[in-house]
Amino acid sequence: MANSQNQFIGLEASKLTSEAYAKTLDKEDALSKLRNEFIIPTKGDLKNKRFGPVSKNISNGTSGPVSAEDEEESIYFCGNSLGLQPKRTREYISRYLDTWASKGVFGHFTQYEDGHPPWLDMDDALKDQTSKLVGALPSEVVVMETLTANLHFLMASFYRPTKDRYKIIIEGKAFPSDHYAAMSQIAHHNLPPSALVTITPPSPTDPYLSSDHILSVISEHAATTALVLLPGIQFYSGQYFDIELITRHCHSLNIPIGWDLAHAVGNVPVKLHDWNVDFAAWCNYKYLNGGPGTIGGLFVHDRHGQVEESPSNDEESAKAENGILDKTLTYRPRLSGWWGGDKKVRFNMDNVFVPIPGASGFQVSNPSALDLTAVLASLDVFGLTDIDTLRERSLRLTAYLEARLLQYEGGEAPYKIITPSNPAERGAQLSVRLNPGLLDSILHFIESNGVVLDERKPDVLRVAPAPLYNSFWDIHRFITLFHEACKRATAKTG
Ligand SMILES: Cc1ncc(COP(=O)(O)O)c(C=O)c1O
Ligand SMILES: Nc1c(O)cccc1C(=O)C[C@H](N)C(=O)O
């Protein structure tokens, strides 16, 4: 990283390798206190083969004496895959369990004195905080279903192939689930696999996709394209795409565009409404810390969420008189379910679908109140700050990580950072490509010393300091172990 960037981010180059400096950076950052909102697994927890934590955070009576080393906090850099558990999650879920135990079905409607919503209103209660995270109006977002399922629901609505325009453009290294979802949508419309166009990086060794390259592939296929589906942040390389620019380009060519924000939500501030994005979907279990596989979220721009009364024709009026149809509505086609229906008439059981205007009208099923509760706990942690302030901290953490990775003592580093060096083109994650043959040995060493991160075989480590709970000291400890592991591994391979 260029020195000027370090200065911009407020890092002092001469002190970078000092442990005391890492601790000072933590002390000086007001957001460091948010780490206390989370349960950080200890090294002992990670080694423990029995159920539950051995740490003193939570005692479940399963553990014996704990050594000082085992009590040390692990170095968790895997929030880009599964975020850590907020302490308040247990409290909120326990309240949910008490409600279910004491009220049964009335839990759907019971309004609590402490202001927490009845289950029936939890979808609305989550809108405000969710919309702030993705730069949307509350009416444009809803917490529902799961990411891939939501991509399908959204494609059912936005991928409307015609004889002339039928292709879906995705990126060549799309997360496999997105690839399968797009392929199966194409097959669902009886179209050939060639209707899937992939944007591949010009270089076989560098995953970087420039905006120019992306725009040129979209332009090349514009006349035959029905939809573009891209990730806000690429899961493998960590590259953050220019959502606004690419969206504008697609619209200039009359192509709707959807964004998979799995790795962007809670990581970088996005402005889905202002950027005119058509639709987006995300999960709530990565930088949002709602728990493994928890309920996801989606965005539909308000211009697509309108529900309008239209003049009814005679046949429809006749049905209305018979009480079958009380009004004729026009709305964007979708795969519907009762939970997308207006709450005032949802329980009428009359088979008249009156979608809630906006994203909520895309809901399908009665959502899991357990999941919504966990997401509420996570959003309440985000509520202690805001995404712009968090991003500032994240820029500093990732810049520090980058600077430390670039300072390898004793020769050439046996790895290369493949995430863009421009902070505007990345979020928290840095992906590190190791020299061939080193991955297993390095991973074994750092994991047995309490580091948790994600590997993508054959040679990439994804390191993601999550700004809500990771610290500069975590990075310092990681670098010390990682560099030691690199030295051992290269010594072995000669
Ligand atoms: C970019 C991306 N898309 C899709 C998925 C799949 O999400 P889910 O299993 O929640 O549908 C993931 C992660 O699992 C992902 O990172
Ligand atoms: N690696 C995973 C796993 O072992 C279980 C469940 C999910 C994953 C994932 O890959 C999650 C995520 N999309 C990611 O990019 O890390």
PDB file of all heavy atoms in Angstrom, residues 253-288:
ATOM      1  N   LEU A 253     -29.517   0.867 -21.500  1.00  0.00           N
ATOM      2  CA  LEU A 253     -29.742  -0.140 -22.551  1.00  0.00           C
ATOM      3  C   LEU A 253     -31.051  -0.901 -22.307  1.00  0.00           C
ATOM      4  O   LEU A 253     -31.290  -1.964 -22.902  1.00  0.00           O
ATOM      5  CB  LEU A 253     -28.563  -1.132 -22.554  1.00  0.00           C
ATOM      6  CG  LEU A 253     -27.188  -0.516 -22.839  1.00  0.00           C
ATOM      7  CD1 LEU A 253     -26.069  -1.488 -22.488  1.00  0.00           C
ATOM      8  CD2 LEU A 253     -27.091  -0.089 -24.292  1.00  0.00           C
ATOM      9  N   ASN A 254     -31.862  -0.349 -21.414  1.00  0.00           N
ATOM     10  CA  ASN A 254     -33.173  -0.948 -21.095  1.00  0.00           C
ATOM     11  C   ASN A 254     -33.085  -2.363 -20.531  1.00  0.00           C
ATOM     12  O   ASN A 254     -33.914  -3.216 -20.838  1.00  0.00           O
ATOM     13  CB  ASN A 254     -34.065  -0.989 -22.338  1.00  0.00           C
ATOM     14  CG  ASN A 254     -34.695   0.345 -22.561  1.00  0.00           C
ATOM     15  OD1 ASN A 254     -35.020   1.044 -21.593  1.00  0.00           O
ATOM     16  ND2 ASN A 254     -34.835   0.727 -23.831  1.00  0.00           N
ATOM     17  N   ILE A 255     -32.051  -2.599 -19.742  1.00  0.00           N
ATOM     18  CA  ILE A 255     -31.909  -3.934 -19.122  1.00  0.00           C
ATOM     19  C   ILE A 255     -32.079  -3.770 -17.609  1.00  0.00           C
ATOM     20  O   ILE A 255     -31.392  -2.959 -16.996  1.00  0.00           O
ATOM     21  CB  ILE A 255     -30.505  -4.529 -19.398  1.00  0.00           C
ATOM     22  CG1 ILE A 255     -30.193  -4.523 -20.892  1.00  0.00           C
ATOM     23  CG2 ILE A 255     -30.400  -5.944 -18.825  1.00  0.00           C
ATOM     24  CD1 ILE A 255     -28.746  -4.888 -21.209  1.00  0.00           C
ATOM     25  N   PRO A 256     -32.981  -4.554 -17.008  1.00  0.00           N
ATOM     26  CA  PRO A 256     -33.057  -4.513 -15.542  1.00  0.00           C
ATOM     27  C   PRO A 256     -31.839  -5.200 -14.923  1.00  0.00           C
ATOM     28  O   PRO A 256     -31.266  -6.116 -15.528  1.00  0.00           O
ATOM     29  CB  PRO A 256     -34.335  -5.285 -15.220  1.00  0.00           C
ATOM     30  CG  PRO A 256     -34.626  -6.111 -16.420  1.00  0.00           C
ATOM     31  CD  PRO A 256     -33.954  -5.470 -17.604  1.00  0.00           C
ATOM     32  N   ILE A 257     -31.477  -4.734 -13.739  1.00  0.00           N
ATOM     33  CA  ILE A 257     -30.304  -5.327 -13.078  1.00  0.00           C
ATOM     34  C   ILE A 257     -30.597  -5.609 -11.605  1.00  0.00           C
ATOM     35  O   ILE A 257     -31.210  -4.785 -10.910  1.00  0.00           O
ATOM     36  CB  ILE A 257     -29.041  -4.442 -13.241  1.00  0.00           C
ATOM     37  CG1 ILE A 257     -27.850  -5.055 -12.467  1.00  0.00           C
ATOM     38  CG2 ILE A 257     -29.276  -2.994 -12.828  1.00  0.00           C
ATOM     39  CD1 ILE A 257     -26.495  -4.579 -12.928  1.00  0.00           C
ATOM     40  N   GLY A 258     -30.160  -6.790 -11.169  1.00  0.00           N
ATOM     41  CA  GLY A 258     -30.300  -7.153  -9.760  1.00  0.00           C
ATOM     42  C   GLY A 258     -28.930  -7.391  -9.162  1.00  0.00           C
ATOM     43  O   GLY A 258     -27.985  -7.780  -9.860  1.00  0.00           O
ATOM     44  N   TRP A 259     -28.819  -7.147  -7.861  1.00  0.00           N
ATOM     45  CA  TRP A 259     -27.527  -7.275  -7.175  1.00  0.00           C
ATOM     46  C   TRP A 259     -27.629  -8.269  -6.029  1.00  0.00           C
ATOM     47  O   TRP A 259     -28.551  -8.177  -5.207  1.00  0.00           O
ATOM     48  CB  TRP A 259     -27.075  -5.903  -6.643  1.00  0.00           C
ATOM     49  CG  TRP A 259     -26.713  -4.959  -7.754  1.00  0.00           C
ATOM     50  CD1 TRP A 259     -27.547  -4.075  -8.382  1.00  0.00           C
ATOM     51  CD2 TRP A 259     -25.435  -4.842  -8.397  1.00  0.00           C
ATOM     52  NE1 TRP A 259     -26.857  -3.403  -9.370  1.00  0.00           N
ATOM     53  CE2 TRP A 259     -25.553  -3.845  -9.396  1.00  0.00           C
ATOM     54  CE3 TRP A 259     -24.199  -5.456  -8.223  1.00  0.00           C
ATOM     55  CZ2 TRP A 259     -24.494  -3.464 -10.220  1.00  0.00           C
ATOM     56  CZ3 TRP A 259     -23.133  -5.079  -9.029  1.00  0.00           C
ATOM     57  CH2 TRP A 259     -23.292  -4.092 -10.019  1.00  0.00           C
ATOM     58  N   ASP A 260     -26.674  -9.192  -5.977  1.00  0.00           N
ATOM     59  CA  ASP A 260     -26.543 -10.095  -4.840  1.00  0.00           C
ATOM     60  C   ASP A 260     -25.612  -9.411  -3.837  1.00  0.00           C
ATOM     61  O   ASP A 260     -24.416  -9.254  -4.086  1.00  0.00           O
ATOM     62  CB  ASP A 260     -25.946 -11.433  -5.320  1.00  0.00           C
ATOM     63  CG  ASP A 260     -25.678 -12.393  -4.164  1.00  0.00           C
ATOM     64  OD1 ASP A 260     -25.592 -11.933  -3.006  1.00  0.00           O
ATOM     65  OD2 ASP A 260     -25.533 -13.597  -4.423  1.00  0.00           O
ATOM     66  N   LEU A 261     -26.173  -9.006  -2.711  1.00  0.00           N
ATOM     67  CA  LEU A 261     -25.406  -8.220  -1.744  1.00  0.00           C
ATOM     68  C   LEU A 261     -24.918  -9.054  -0.549  1.00  0.00           C
ATOM     69  O   LEU A 261     -24.635  -8.507   0.517  1.00  0.00           O
ATOM     70  CB  LEU A 261     -26.247  -7.043  -1.253  1.00  0.00           C
ATOM     71  CG  LEU A 261     -26.679  -6.047  -2.330  1.00  0.00           C
ATOM     72  CD1 LEU A 261     -27.448  -4.885  -1.712  1.00  0.00           C
ATOM     73  CD2 LEU A 261     -25.483  -5.517  -3.115  1.00  0.00           C
ATOM     74  N   ALA A 262     -24.812 -10.379  -0.755  1.00  0.00           N
ATOM     75  CA  ALA A 262     -24.388 -11.260   0.349  1.00  0.00           C
ATOM     76  C   ALA A 262     -23.146 -10.723   1.060  1.00  0.00           C
ATOM     77  O   ALA A 262     -23.075 -10.697   2.280  1.00  0.00           O
ATOM     78  CB  ALA A 262     -24.109 -12.667  -0.177  1.00  0.00           C
ATOM     79  N   HIS A 263     -22.149 -10.296   0.274  1.00  0.00           N
ATOM     80  CA  HIS A 263     -20.873  -9.876   0.867  1.00  0.00           C
ATOM     81  C   HIS A 263     -20.768  -8.363   1.017  1.00  0.00           C
ATOM     82  O   HIS A 263     -19.707  -7.855   1.403  1.00  0.00           O
ATOM     83  CB  HIS A 263     -19.713 -10.423   0.027  1.00  0.00           C
ATOM     84  CG  HIS A 263     -19.588 -11.905   0.141  1.00  0.00           C
ATOM     85  ND1 HIS A 263     -18.719 -12.526   1.007  1.00  0.00           N
ATOM     86  CD2 HIS A 263     -20.281 -12.905  -0.468  1.00  0.00           C
ATOM     87  CE1 HIS A 263     -18.859 -13.829   0.923  1.00  0.00           C
ATOM     88  NE2 HIS A 263     -19.811 -14.090   0.025  1.00  0.00           N
ATOM     89  N   ALA A 264     -21.842  -7.671   0.689  1.00  0.00           N
ATOM     90  CA  ALA A 264     -21.808  -6.201   0.768  1.00  0.00           C
ATOM     91  C   ALA A 264     -22.622  -5.671   1.945  1.00  0.00           C
ATOM     92  O   ALA A 264     -22.239  -4.683   2.583  1.00  0.00           O
ATOM     93  CB  ALA A 264     -22.332  -5.599  -0.537  1.00  0.00           C
ATOM     94  N   VAL A 265     -23.715  -6.349   2.262  1.00  0.00           N
ATOM     95  CA  VAL A 265     -24.606  -5.801   3.285  1.00  0.00           C
ATOM     96  C   VAL A 265     -23.927  -5.827   4.663  1.00  0.00           C
ATOM     97  O   VAL A 265     -23.293  -6.809   5.042  1.00  0.00           O
ATOM     98  CB  VAL A 265     -25.965  -6.555   3.286  1.00  0.00           C
ATOM     99  CG1 VAL A 265     -25.818  -7.978   3.793  1.00  0.00           C
ATOM    100  CG2 VAL A 265     -27.013  -5.815   4.099  1.00  0.00           C
ATOM    101  N   GLY A 266     -23.989  -4.703   5.351  1.00  0.00           N
ATOM    102  CA  GLY A 266     -23.342  -4.594   6.657  1.00  0.00           C
ATOM    103  C   GLY A 266     -21.836  -4.430   6.560  1.00  0.00           C
ATOM    104  O   GLY A 266     -21.155  -4.316   7.572  1.00  0.00           O
ATOM    105  N   ASN A 267     -21.329  -4.401   5.341  1.00  0.00           N
ATOM    106  CA  ASN A 267     -19.892  -4.317   5.091  1.00  0.00           C
ATOM    107  C   ASN A 267     -19.556  -2.947   4.481  1.00  0.00           C
ATOM    108  O   ASN A 267     -18.683  -2.236   4.990  1.00  0.00           O
ATOM    109  CB  ASN A 267     -19.508  -5.474   4.149  1.00  0.00           C
ATOM    110  CG  ASN A 267     -18.047  -5.503   3.765  1.00  0.00           C
ATOM    111  OD1 ASN A 267     -17.236  -4.751   4.285  1.00  0.00           O
ATOM    112  ND2 ASN A 267     -17.688  -6.380   2.838  1.00  0.00           N
ATOM    113  N   VAL A 268     -20.257  -2.588   3.430  1.00  0.00           N
ATOM    114  CA  VAL A 268     -20.047  -1.278   2.794  1.00  0.00           C
ATOM    115  C   VAL A 268     -21.394  -0.560   2.700  1.00  0.00           C
ATOM    116  O   VAL A 268     -22.427  -1.210   2.561  1.00  0.00           O
ATOM    117  CB  VAL A 268     -19.449  -1.428   1.368  1.00  0.00           C
ATOM    118  CG1 VAL A 268     -18.013  -1.900   1.430  1.00  0.00           C
ATOM    119  CG2 VAL A 268     -20.277  -2.374   0.510  1.00  0.00           C
ATOM    120  N   PRO A 269     -21.388   0.770   2.772  1.00  0.00           N
ATOM    121  CA  PRO A 269     -22.667   1.474   2.602  1.00  0.00           C
ATOM    122  C   PRO A 269     -23.068   1.448   1.129  1.00  0.00           C
ATOM    123  O   PRO A 269     -22.244   1.725   0.269  1.00  0.00           O
ATOM    124  CB  PRO A 269     -22.340   2.918   3.029  1.00  0.00           C
ATOM    125  CG  PRO A 269     -20.925   2.929   3.487  1.00  0.00           C
ATOM    126  CD  PRO A 269     -20.265   1.683   3.026  1.00  0.00           C
ATOM    127  N   VAL A 270     -24.285   1.056   0.857  1.00  0.00           N
ATOM    128  CA  VAL A 270     -24.785   1.119  -0.524  1.00  0.00           C
ATOM    129  C   VAL A 270     -26.027   2.008  -0.529  1.00  0.00           C
ATOM    130  O   VAL A 270     -26.641   2.224   0.516  1.00  0.00           O
ATOM    131  CB  VAL A 270     -25.116  -0.296  -1.087  1.00  0.00           C
ATOM    132  CG1 VAL A 270     -23.851  -1.106  -1.297  1.00  0.00           C
ATOM    133  CG2 VAL A 270     -26.081  -1.061  -0.186  1.00  0.00           C
ATOM    134  N   LYS A 271     -26.382   2.517  -1.696  1.00  0.00           N
ATOM    135  CA  LYS A 271     -27.517   3.439  -1.793  1.00  0.00           C
ATOM    136  C   LYS A 271     -28.470   2.936  -2.876  1.00  0.00           C
ATOM    137  O   LYS A 271     -28.559   3.500  -3.968  1.00  0.00           O
ATOM    138  CB  LYS A 271     -27.025   4.848  -2.132  1.00  0.00           C
ATOM    139  CG  LYS A 271     -26.039   5.398  -1.116  1.00  0.00           C
ATOM    140  CD  LYS A 271     -26.059   6.905  -1.058  1.00  0.00           C
ATOM    141  CE  LYS A 271     -25.131   7.468  -0.007  1.00  0.00           C
ATOM    142  NZ  LYS A 271     -25.063   6.736   1.255  1.00  0.00           N
ATOM    143  N   LEU A 272     -29.126   1.855  -2.552  1.00  0.00           N
ATOM    144  CA  LEU A 272     -29.907   1.163  -3.578  1.00  0.00           C
ATOM    145  C   LEU A 272     -30.991   2.040  -4.186  1.00  0.00           C
ATOM    146  O   LEU A 272     -31.235   1.996  -5.388  1.00  0.00           O
ATOM    147  CB  LEU A 272     -30.528  -0.113  -3.000  1.00  0.00           C
ATOM    148  CG  LEU A 272     -29.536  -1.157  -2.484  1.00  0.00           C
ATOM    149  CD1 LEU A 272     -30.260  -2.403  -1.997  1.00  0.00           C
ATOM    150  CD2 LEU A 272     -28.518  -1.524  -3.562  1.00  0.00           C
ATOM    151  N   HIS A 273     -31.630   2.853  -3.358  1.00  0.00           N
ATOM    152  CA  HIS A 273     -32.707   3.699  -3.899  1.00  0.00           C
ATOM    153  C   HIS A 273     -32.125   4.750  -4.839  1.00  0.00           C
ATOM    154  O   HIS A 273     -32.543   4.854  -5.994  1.00  0.00           O
ATOM    155  CB  HIS A 273     -33.493   4.371  -2.771  1.00  0.00           C
ATOM    156  CG  HIS A 273     -34.574   5.276  -3.291  1.00  0.00           C
ATOM    157  ND1 HIS A 273     -35.817   4.814  -3.658  1.00  0.00           N
ATOM    158  CD2 HIS A 273     -34.573   6.607  -3.585  1.00  0.00           C
ATOM    159  CE1 HIS A 273     -36.545   5.815  -4.119  1.00  0.00           C
ATOM    160  NE2 HIS A 273     -35.815   6.923  -4.089  1.00  0.00           N
ATOM    161  N   ASP A 274     -31.154   5.507  -4.338  1.00  0.00           N
ATOM    162  CA  ASP A 274     -30.598   6.605  -5.152  1.00  0.00           C
ATOM    163  C   ASP A 274     -29.904   6.077  -6.397  1.00  0.00           C
ATOM    164  O   ASP A 274     -29.876   6.748  -7.425  1.00  0.00           O
ATOM    165  CB  ASP A 274     -29.589   7.422  -4.338  1.00  0.00           C
ATOM    166  CG  ASP A 274     -30.280   8.217  -3.249  1.00  0.00           C
ATOM    167  OD1 ASP A 274     -31.533   8.248  -3.241  1.00  0.00           O
ATOM    168  OD2 ASP A 274     -29.578   8.797  -2.392  1.00  0.00           O
ATOM    169  N   TRP A 275     -29.331   4.900  -6.296  1.00  0.00           N
ATOM    170  CA  TRP A 275     -28.641   4.335  -7.459  1.00  0.00           C
ATOM    171  C   TRP A 275     -29.615   3.668  -8.425  1.00  0.00           C
ATOM    172  O   TRP A 275     -29.207   3.101  -9.433  1.00  0.00           O
ATOM    173  CB  TRP A 275     -27.567   3.327  -7.013  1.00  0.00           C
ATOM    174  CG  TRP A 275     -26.448   3.942  -6.226  1.00  0.00           C
ATOM    175  CD1 TRP A 275     -26.142   5.275  -6.139  1.00  0.00           C
ATOM    176  CD2 TRP A 275     -25.482   3.269  -5.397  1.00  0.00           C
ATOM    177  NE1 TRP A 275     -25.048   5.458  -5.312  1.00  0.00           N
ATOM    178  CE2 TRP A 275     -24.618   4.248  -4.852  1.00  0.00           C
ATOM    179  CE3 TRP A 275     -25.253   1.931  -5.082  1.00  0.00           C
ATOM    180  CZ2 TRP A 275     -23.561   3.938  -3.998  1.00  0.00           C
ATOM    181  CZ3 TRP A 275     -24.194   1.614  -4.231  1.00  0.00           C
ATOM    182  CH2 TRP A 275     -23.358   2.614  -3.700  1.00  0.00           C
ATOM    183  N   ASN A 276     -30.888   3.710  -8.053  1.00  0.00           N
ATOM    184  CA  ASN A 276     -31.929   3.243  -8.975  1.00  0.00           C
ATOM    185  C   ASN A 276     -31.880   1.744  -9.270  1.00  0.00           C
ATOM    186  O   ASN A 276     -32.351   1.301 -10.339  1.00  0.00           O
ATOM    187  CB  ASN A 276     -31.802   4.004 -10.300  1.00  0.00           C
ATOM    188  CG  ASN A 276     -33.115   4.623 -10.667  1.00  0.00           C
ATOM    189  OD1 ASN A 276     -34.133   4.373 -10.009  1.00  0.00           O
ATOM    190  ND2 ASN A 276     -33.108   5.399 -11.725  1.00  0.00           N
ATOM    191  N   VAL A 277     -31.271   1.011  -8.366  1.00  0.00           N
ATOM    192  CA  VAL A 277     -31.181  -0.448  -8.535  1.00  0.00           C
ATOM    193  C   VAL A 277     -32.586  -1.035  -8.667  1.00  0.00           C
ATOM    194  O   VAL A 277     -33.518  -0.594  -7.985  1.00  0.00           O
ATOM    195  CB  VAL A 277     -30.435  -1.037  -7.303  1.00  0.00           C
ATOM    196  CG1 VAL A 277     -30.672  -2.511  -7.139  1.00  0.00           C
ATOM    197  CG2 VAL A 277     -28.949  -0.710  -7.406  1.00  0.00           C
ATOM    198  N   ASP A 278     -32.766  -2.005  -9.539  1.00  0.00           N
ATOM    199  CA  ASP A 278     -34.096  -2.597  -9.699  1.00  0.00           C
ATOM    200  C   ASP A 278     -34.428  -3.522  -8.527  1.00  0.00           C
ATOM    201  O   ASP A 278     -35.482  -3.406  -7.920  1.00  0.00           O
ATOM    202  CB  ASP A 278     -34.164  -3.382 -11.019  1.00  0.00           C
ATOM    203  CG  ASP A 278     -34.070  -2.448 -12.210  1.00  0.00           C
ATOM    204  OD1 ASP A 278     -34.999  -1.653 -12.404  1.00  0.00           O
ATOM    205  OD2 ASP A 278     -33.041  -2.476 -12.910  1.00  0.00           O
ATOM    206  N   PHE A 279     -33.502  -4.448  -8.261  1.00  0.00           N
ATOM    207  CA  PHE A 279     -33.745  -5.337  -7.120  1.00  0.00           C
ATOM    208  C   PHE A 279     -32.421  -5.819  -6.544  1.00  0.00           C
ATOM    209  O   PHE A 279     -31.369  -5.737  -7.204  1.00  0.00           O
ATOM    210  CB  PHE A 279     -34.641  -6.528  -7.518  1.00  0.00           C
ATOM    211  CG  PHE A 279     -34.008  -7.529  -8.443  1.00  0.00           C
ATOM    212  CD1 PHE A 279     -33.264  -8.589  -7.949  1.00  0.00           C
ATOM    213  CD2 PHE A 279     -34.188  -7.435  -9.816  1.00  0.00           C
ATOM    214  CE1 PHE A 279     -32.690  -9.529  -8.795  1.00  0.00           C
ATOM    215  CE2 PHE A 279     -33.615  -8.374 -10.681  1.00  0.00           C
ATOM    216  CZ  PHE A 279     -32.858  -9.427 -10.166  1.00  0.00           C
ATOM    217  N   ALA A 280     -32.478  -6.310  -5.328  1.00  0.00           N
ATOM    218  CA  ALA A 280     -31.283  -6.853  -4.680  1.00  0.00           C
ATOM    219  C   ALA A 280     -31.736  -7.866  -3.632  1.00  0.00           C
ATOM    220  O   ALA A 280     -32.889  -7.836  -3.189  1.00  0.00           O
ATOM    221  CB  ALA A 280     -30.469  -5.738  -4.013  1.00  0.00           C
ATOM    222  N   ALA A 281     -30.814  -8.759  -3.284  1.00  0.00           N
ATOM    223  CA  ALA A 281     -31.104  -9.734  -2.228  1.00  0.00           C
ATOM    224  C   ALA A 281     -29.822  -9.969  -1.440  1.00  0.00           C
ATOM    225  O   ALA A 281     -28.723  -9.746  -1.949  1.00  0.00           O
ATOM    226  CB  ALA A 281     -31.603 -11.048  -2.824  1.00  0.00           C
ATOM    227  N   TRP A 282     -29.969 -10.423  -0.223  1.00  0.00           N
ATOM    228  CA  TRP A 282     -28.802 -10.669   0.629  1.00  0.00           C
ATOM    229  C   TRP A 282     -29.153 -11.694   1.707  1.00  0.00           C
ATOM    230  O   TRP A 282     -30.322 -12.045   1.879  1.00  0.00           O
ATOM    231  CB  TRP A 282     -28.310  -9.378   1.287  1.00  0.00           C
ATOM    232  CG  TRP A 282     -29.349  -8.648   2.080  1.00  0.00           C
ATOM    233  CD1 TRP A 282     -29.640  -8.813   3.398  1.00  0.00           C
ATOM    234  CD2 TRP A 282     -30.254  -7.634   1.583  1.00  0.00           C
ATOM    235  NE1 TRP A 282     -30.666  -7.962   3.757  1.00  0.00           N
ATOM    236  CE2 TRP A 282     -31.064  -7.225   2.669  1.00  0.00           C
ATOM    237  CE3 TRP A 282     -30.464  -7.029   0.338  1.00  0.00           C
ATOM    238  CZ2 TRP A 282     -32.054  -6.263   2.539  1.00  0.00           C
ATOM    239  CZ3 TRP A 282     -31.455  -6.064   0.208  1.00  0.00           C
ATOM    240  CH2 TRP A 282     -32.230  -5.680   1.308  1.00  0.00           C
ATOM    241  N   CYS A 283     -28.102 -12.166   2.394  1.00  0.00           N
ATOM    242  CA  CYS A 283     -28.349 -13.017   3.552  1.00  0.00           C
ATOM    243  C   CYS A 283     -28.039 -12.199   4.805  1.00  0.00           C
ATOM    244  O   CYS A 283     -27.348 -11.184   4.728  1.00  0.00           O
ATOM    245  CB  CYS A 283     -27.494 -14.280   3.496  1.00  0.00           C
ATOM    246  SG  CYS A 283     -25.757 -13.946   3.264  1.00  0.00           S
ATOM    247  N   ASN A 284     -28.528 -12.644   5.917  1.00  0.00           N
ATOM    248  CA  ASN A 284     -28.318 -11.912   7.178  1.00  0.00           C
ATOM    249  C   ASN A 284     -27.367 -12.655   8.100  1.00  0.00           C
ATOM    250  O   ASN A 284     -27.439 -12.504   9.319  1.00  0.00           O
ATOM    251  CB  ASN A 284     -29.669 -11.703   7.884  1.00  0.00           C
ATOM    252  CG  ASN A 284     -30.464 -10.567   7.246  1.00  0.00           C
ATOM    253  OD1 ASN A 284     -29.951  -9.472   7.065  1.00  0.00           O
ATOM    254  ND2 ASN A 284     -31.703 -10.838   6.880  1.00  0.00           N
ATOM    255  N   TYR A 285     -26.495 -13.502   7.514  1.00  0.00           N
ATOM    256  CA  TYR A 285     -25.633 -14.297   8.409  1.00  0.00           C
ATOM    257  C   TYR A 285     -24.141 -14.047   8.233  1.00  0.00           C
ATOM    258  O   TYR A 285     -23.334 -14.730   8.843  1.00  0.00           O
ATOM    259  CB  TYR A 285     -25.935 -15.793   8.272  1.00  0.00           C
ATOM    260  CG  TYR A 285     -25.911 -16.388   6.880  1.00  0.00           C
ATOM    261  CD1 TYR A 285     -24.721 -16.602   6.199  1.00  0.00           C
ATOM    262  CD2 TYR A 285     -27.098 -16.765   6.259  1.00  0.00           C
ATOM    263  CE1 TYR A 285     -24.708 -17.170   4.936  1.00  0.00           C
ATOM    264  CE2 TYR A 285     -27.103 -17.337   4.990  1.00  0.00           C
ATOM    265  CZ  TYR A 285     -25.901 -17.529   4.326  1.00  0.00           C
ATOM    266  OH  TYR A 285     -25.907 -18.088   3.073  1.00  0.00           O
ATOM    267  N   LYS A 286     -23.755 -13.097   7.382  1.00  0.00           N
ATOM    268  CA  LYS A 286     -22.317 -12.828   7.230  1.00  0.00           C
ATOM    269  C   LYS A 286     -21.972 -11.604   8.084  1.00  0.00           C
ATOM    270  O   LYS A 286     -21.878 -11.697   9.299  1.00  0.00           O
ATOM    271  CB  LYS A 286     -21.980 -12.616   5.756  1.00  0.00           C
ATOM    272  CG  LYS A 286     -22.264 -13.832   4.901  1.00  0.00           C
ATOM    273  CD  LYS A 286     -21.901 -13.553   3.467  1.00  0.00           C
ATOM    274  CE  LYS A 286     -22.401 -14.628   2.542  1.00  0.00           C
ATOM    275  NZ  LYS A 286     -21.712 -15.905   2.735  1.00  0.00           N
ATOM    276  N   TYR A 287     -21.768 -10.444   7.434  1.00  0.00           N
ATOM    277  CA  TYR A 287     -21.455  -9.237   8.216  1.00  0.00           C
ATOM    278  C   TYR A 287     -22.643  -8.859   9.096  1.00  0.00           C
ATOM    279  O   TYR A 287     -22.491  -8.177  10.099  1.00  0.00           O
ATOM    280  CB  TYR A 287     -21.066  -8.084   7.290  1.00  0.00           C
ATOM    281  CG  TYR A 287     -19.791  -8.378   6.534  1.00  0.00           C
ATOM    282  CD1 TYR A 287     -19.818  -8.900   5.253  1.00  0.00           C
ATOM    283  CD2 TYR A 287     -18.545  -8.167   7.131  1.00  0.00           C
ATOM    284  CE1 TYR A 287     -18.648  -9.197   4.564  1.00  0.00           C
ATOM    285  CE2 TYR A 287     -17.373  -8.461   6.466  1.00  0.00           C
ATOM    286  CZ  TYR A 287     -17.428  -8.971   5.174  1.00  0.00           C
ATOM    287  OH  TYR A 287     -16.269  -9.261   4.508  1.00  0.00           O
ATOM    288  N   LEU A 288     -23.834  -9.269   8.667  1.00  0.00           N
ATOM    289  CA  LEU A 288     -24.963  -9.203   9.595  1.00  0.00           C
ATOM    290  C   LEU A 288     -24.888 -10.504  10.374  1.00  0.00           C
ATOM    291  O   LEU A 288     -24.569 -11.539   9.818  1.00  0.00           O
ATOM    292  CB  LEU A 288     -26.269  -9.071   8.827  1.00  0.00           C
ATOM    293  CG  LEU A 288     -26.554  -7.583   8.549  1.00  0.00           C
ATOM    294  CD1 LEU A 288     -26.434  -7.273   7.113  1.00  0.00           C
ATOM    295  CD2 LEU A 288     -27.870  -7.215   9.115  1.00  0.00           C
TER     296      LEU A 288
END
